[in-house]
Structures are given as structure tokens and as C-alpha cells.
């Protein structure tokens, strides 16, 4: 069983809609990461958080340590937000990450 | 800064051949990682390094070897390629404060563009 579960696996939204992606984990962590994988395959880090909430542009990430749950929100979605969003947790030493399977997001005009 | 660079971008190998995937970072990061990504699966850690001369196994190390002779370079060696090694390989690097890593220290990982490997 994967220790990091994401939902939904796939999501299609119309431009302008509010999008939420969820991540649940079953281990104690020092931090949770949200990553974006572009259609061309490149991976970039969006957020690293260990408590509360972070915002960058139209992206908001929240985490509830007690409930072992994080959400990534995209406000006013745009077709350029189409990508795979990956949740990963740092549950071990040496910076090692455990990854969810990813959520494929498609935003249509 | 170029960040993390990987070569080659694509490669097709025959069963039993060997090859080295190159990874270089110019950010003076102490930690480097190799991951593989299979369709529909999350990334899995193959090997990692905490500094020059120090490497350790990750979750799926069988069939691979690594070395880290310099801070900048972290090559991944595939010996006797098998179809199960068909995957996309990503190298990543990070800076973690010395002394914190063993206590759950973590920081943003910077990923290379990936190498798509097919073994036929």
C-alpha cells in the first residue's frame, strides 16, 4: 500500500473554475511537497510546507498535520495549468521523498 | 545557472547492454538523488548521495550503480539492461543543512529534465 495517496487521479475543469487536489499520508512527516510535472515531462517544485498554508499566485497549499492531509488549490484555472500535480512527503531522514501517483489536471478553454 | 542537467534525453538499449546516465548540478548542492518514473506510478528512489564519496541505496536499487566523485556529478550506471528498466529517469539535487538531514531535514529538490530509456 502506498503511504501517499492522491485524489482524484484525473480531473478536467473549465477555464476559470476552482480546482482542489487532495493528498493523504499515513506516516509522520517533517514536510510535504507539491510538485508540478509539465506535459513535456519536466518537474518543478511548487511548495514545501510543514504547517498551515502557503500561497503563490493562483496556487494555494494547505496542510493539516493532525489529520495527515494536504490540499492544493488552483483558483481561476487556466489551460496553462494543465499538468500532473504530485504530492510527496519527507518521512525519513536524508531528504528522501515518498511520492503519490500524481493527479492529471486538464483545463479546457 | 543551468541547474540540474541530464544526458542523454532519450536512449534505446538492447537487452544486456550497459550505459551511464549523466547528471550534473551547478548549485553546489550536497544532496543528489536518482528516481525512476513508470507510467501511472509515483516516482521511486533508486540511489541517493549525501556528498562526494557517499552514496546509499533507495527503494529500487537492483540493476543500478552510482558513484559521486565530485559535488557536481552523480552518474547512474545500468549494467545488463533489462526490459523492466524501461522508464523515465530523473536526477534531482537539494541543499540540506549539515547535521539536520539525519533528523528529518529536507528542502526543495531541483529536478533535471529526465532521460527516457527504452530497453528492447
Amino acid at each position: 500500500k502506498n503511504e501517499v495517496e492522491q485524489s482524484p487521479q484525473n480531473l478536467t475543469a473549465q477555464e476559470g473554475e476552482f480546482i482542489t487536489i487532495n493528498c493523504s499520508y499515513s506516516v509522520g512527516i517533517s514536510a510535504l511537497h507539491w510538485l508540478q510535472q509539465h506535459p513535456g515531462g519536466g518537474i518543478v517544485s511548487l511548495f514545501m510546507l510543514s504547517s498551515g498554508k502557503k500561497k503563490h499566485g493562483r496556487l494555494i497549499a494547505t496542510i493539516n498535520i493532525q489529520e495527515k492531509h494536504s490540499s492544493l488549490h488552483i483558483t481561476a484555472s487556466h489551460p496553462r495549468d494543465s499538468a500532473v500535480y504530485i504530492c510527496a512527503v519527507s518521512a525519513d531522514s536524508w531528504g528522501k521523498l515518498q511520492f503519490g501517483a500524481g493527479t492529471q489536471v486538464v483545463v479546457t478553454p | 545557472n543551468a541547474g540540474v542537467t541530464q544526458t542523454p534525453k532519450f536512449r534505446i538499449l538492447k537487452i544486456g547492454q550497459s550505459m551511464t546516465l549523466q547528471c550534473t548540478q551547478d548549485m553546489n548542492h550536497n544532496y543528489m538523488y536518482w528516481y525512476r518514473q513508470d507510467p501511472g506510478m509515483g516516482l521511486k528512489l533508486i540511489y541517493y548521495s549525501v556528498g562526494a564519496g557517499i552514496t546509499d541505496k533507495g527503494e529500487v536499487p537492483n540493476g543500478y550503480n552510482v558513484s559521486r566523485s565530485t559535488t557536481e556529478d552523480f552518474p547512474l550506471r545500468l549494467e545488463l539492461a533489462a526490459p523492466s528498466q524501461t522508464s523515465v529517469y530523473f536526477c534531482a539535487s537539494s541543499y540540506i543543512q549539515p547535521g539536520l538531514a539525519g533528523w528529518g531535514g529536507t528542502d526543495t529538490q531541483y529536478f533535471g529534465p529526465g532521460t527516457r530509456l527504452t530497453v528492447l
Side-chain angles (χ1 to χ4, degrees):
Chain A
K1 182 183 182 295
N2 197 4
E3 290 171 333
V4 182
E5 299 284 349
Q6 286 185 239
S7 63
Q9 281 187 307
N10 298 281
L11 184 160
T12 299
Q14 282 205 312
E15 184 172 357
E17 287 185 340
F18 184 86
I19 291 171
T20 295
I21 303 165
N22 296 300
C23 176
S24 296
Y25 53 92
S26 56
V27 295
I29 68 169
S30 58
L32 183 140
H33 302 246
W34 281 103
L35 309 164
Q36 180 191 55
Q37 185 167 25
H38 300 290
I43 299 173
V44 295
S45 179
L46 298 174
F47 296 104
M48 184 181 75
L49 65 167
S50 54
S51 65
K53 176 178 170 178
K54 287 191 175 180
K55 184 174 189 288
H56 185 257
R58 294 180 294 102
L59 300 178
I60 303 167
T62 64
I63 187 169
N64 184 318
I65 295 290
Q66 286 73 29
E67 294 187 5
K68 293 187 166 62
H69 181 269
S70 175
S71 293
L72 177 68
H73 306 286
I74 306 175
T75 63
S77 60
H78 189 276
R80 65 175 173 266
D81 297 323
S82 298
V84 175
Y85 292 84
I86 301 168
C87 172
V89 299
S90 180
D92 202 342
S93 55
W94 318 113
K96 292 184 284 182
L97 299 180
Q98 296 176 38
F99 295 82
T103 296
Q104 173 80 60
V105 171
V106 175
V107 182
T108 57
Chain B
N1 284 354
V4 181
T5 57
Q6 290 183 239
T7 56
K9 285 189 167 55
F10 304 94
R11 184 73 185 268
I12 298 175
L13 282 183
K14 293 182 179 176
I15 294 172
Q17 286 185 320
S18 300
M19 76 165 293
T20 298
L21 281 66
Q22 301 291 346
C23 175
T24 300
Q25 54 92 7
D26 63 359
M27 297 174 282
N28 202 31
H29 285 170
N30 47 1
Y31 282 68
M32 296 186 75
Y33 309 87
W34 272 106
Y35 299 100
R36 60 177 287 171
Q37 184 179 39
D38 300 319
M41 308 285 287
L43 286 96
K44 294 197 184 300
L45 180 66
I46 305 171
Y47 270 95
Y48 68 103
S49 169
V50 305
I54 307 170
T55 63
D56 204 353
K57 296 176 182 178
E59 193 179 351
V60 289
N62 290 347
Y64 308 95
N65 276 301
V66 294
S67 60
R68 184 129 178 242
S69 57
T70 66
T71 299
E72 295 79 18
D73 299 306
F74 189 40
L76 177 72
R77 178 85 179 157
L78 279 73
E79 305 280 2
L80 299 175
S84 60
Q85 293 177 305
T86 293
S87 190
V88 181
Y89 291 84
F90 289 97
C91 179
S93 72
S94 178
Y95 181 79
I96 300 179
Q97 291 275 6
L100 289 184
W103 299 94
T106 184
D107 209 329
T108 299
Q109 291 193 14
Y110 296 83
F111 287 78
T115 295
R116 187 174 295 273
L117 176 68
T118 302
V119 182
L120 300 174

